[in-house]
Amino acid sequence: EVQLVESGGGLVQAGGSLRLSCAASGFTFDDYAIGWFRQAPGKAREGVSCISSIDDTSYHEDSVKGRFTISRDNAKNSVYLQMNSLKPEDTAVYYCAAVRSSYCSTIPLYEYWGQGTQVTVSS
């Protein structure tokens, strides 16, 4: 059974930090690029960060560049999102997802999704 399980969300004050984790199982993790996405109430799901499957090339959406860092540990089948200098506008449900590709892709192509973890940033 394929599973992606996010953890690490919570309530934090503006300027604070959180580290999200995504634990994968049931598929060949090394073959998949992994992305982090978020969805705020009333808004469309958007890509935040992603990391390739072959050389750890990473991508960060403009609004999180310099604040968020994505990393992966293939030995643990896990991907992490370190979020620093959090802002109220970062409040959303954060999802990790996997696509069988060397590099990141567009949202519709991601095959496997987790259930999400809530991140709330208070002002």
Side-chain angles (χ1 to χ4, degrees), residues 6-10 20-21 36 92-96 114-119:
E6 302 95 338
S7 61
L20 304 184
S21 298
W36 282 99
V93 177
Y94 283 71
Y95 302 88
C96 64
Q115 293 300 304
T117 185
Q118 177 70 47
V119 171

Side-chain angles (χ1 to χ4, degrees), residues 1-21:
E1 179 188 5
V2 171
Q3 281 194 315
L4 289 171
V5 180
E6 302 95 338
S7 61
L11 174 64
V12 64
Q13 288 188 330
S17 298
L18 285 173
R19 186 188 192 220
L20 304 184
S21 298

Side-chain angles (χ1 to χ4, degrees), residues 101-114:
S101 172
S102 298
Y103 294 102
C104 303
S105 188
T106 55
I107 289 177
L109 297 181
Y110 282 80
E111 303 163 53
Y112 306 128
W113 289 81

Side-chain angles (χ1 to χ4, degrees), residues 74-89:
N74 287 350
K76 295 183 178 180
N77 284 6
S78 294
V79 172
Y80 308 99
L81 187 67
Q82 178 66 44
M83 306 187 297
N84 299 329
S85 302
L86 283 161
K87 304 176 181 180
E89 51 263 45

